[in-house]
Structure formats: C-alpha cells, structure tokens
C-alpha cells in the first residue's frame, strides 16, 4: 500500500465530514488556527526564557528549528495534496511549531531549571 493510498484512507472521512456543512469546515479551521497560535506562543515564550544567544542557546535554537523542519517534511509526506490542502497547510505548520515548542520546553527544563 502506497503512502498516498494510506493517507487518503485516513483523511477522506475528514473530507466527507467537512463537506457535510459549513459549520464543520469552520470548526476545523478554528481548531487549526488555535493550534497554530498555541505553537507560536510556545516557541516565543521559551525563546524569551532562554535569553540572549550564546554557545548553548544557539545549539538549542538550531535543534528546535531542525525539529520544525522535520515536522514540516513529515506532514508533507503524510497529508494528502488533492483536497483540503489549505487546512492541512495550517495543520502542518501547527504541528511543526508545537513539536518545536515541546522540544524547547523539555530542553529549558533540563538545562535551565536544574
């Protein structure tokens, strides 16, 4: 089974659900914007908490950006490209920002609070 067939079998029920009413479509857009805002705030807060750039914080920042890149690439592979690409575009960056923010939170707790 190819990745495209697998992603279509997973995400096609979501497409049919959103096609049922505009309320479902708007709810999906709202959820994706909330996730995007949460991810951006999470990243911003931990970048500010880490402080000025030095040898240690630059490495942590670069690793966070790498995790964000991996998240975008993984979502590009998984999400379908034939339908609902705007919604999946939002979810792609939302998940990438949240993954990077979680990494920054763990590194902040490990390196700065001990």
């Amino acid at each position: 089974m190819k990745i495209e067939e697998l992603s279509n079998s997973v995400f096609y029920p979501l497409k049919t659900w959103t096609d049922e009413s505009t309320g479902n479509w708007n709810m999906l857009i709202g959820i994706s914007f909330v996730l995007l805002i949460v991810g951006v705030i999470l990243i911003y807060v931990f970048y500010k908490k880490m402080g000025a750039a030095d040898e240690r914080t630059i490495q942590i920042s670069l690793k966070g950006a790498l995790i964000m890149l991996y998240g975008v690439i993984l979502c590009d592979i998984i999400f379908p490209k034939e339908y609902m690409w705007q919604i999946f575009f939002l979810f792609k960056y939302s998940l990438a920002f949240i993954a990077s923010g979680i990494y920054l939170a763990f590194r902040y707790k490990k390196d700065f609070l001990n």
Side-chain angles (χ1 to χ4, degrees):
M1 184 175 248
K2 293 180 1 182
I3 292 177
E4 294 169 359
E5 294 171 0
L6 181 64
S7 68
N8 282 335
S9 67
V10 170
F11 294 111
Y12 194 77
L14 183 65
K15 180 189 181 316
T16 58
W17 179 74
T18 57
D19 288 342
E20 288 176 6
S21 73
T22 57
N24 294 346
W25 180 261
N26 291 335
M27 187 177 0
L28 196 61
I29 290 175
I31 289 169
S32 62
F33 272 120
V34 166
L35 288 175
L36 183 68
I37 290 169
V38 165
V40 168
I41 289 172
L42 194 62
I43 289 173
Y44 179 76
V45 164
F46 283 105
Y47 274 136
K48 285 298 182 182
K49 279 187 172 188
M50 282 192 294
D54 60 3
E55 302 87 30
R56 183 172 58 166
T57 58
I58 287 176
Q59 294 299 320
I60 295 171
S61 299
L62 288 176
K63 182 74 177 209
L66 182 65
I67 288 174
M68 195 180 308
L69 177 66
Y70 287 158
V72 168
I73 291 171
L74 182 66
C75 288
D76 272 341
I77 292 170
I78 293 172
F79 289 149
K81 290 141 190 73
E82 293 85 31
Y83 52 87
M84 294 176 43
W85 63 270
Q86 303 97 340
I87 298 296
F88 292 129
F89 183 81
L90 280 172
F91 273 114
K92 172 176 56 174
Y93 285 100
S94 300
L95 294 174
F97 286 168
I98 288 173
S100 178
I102 289 171
Y103 170 76
L104 291 175
F106 281 123
R107 283 299 298 259
Y108 179 79
K109 182 179 177 189
K110 178 184 171 191
D111 292 346
F112 295 98
L113 294 180
N114 289 333

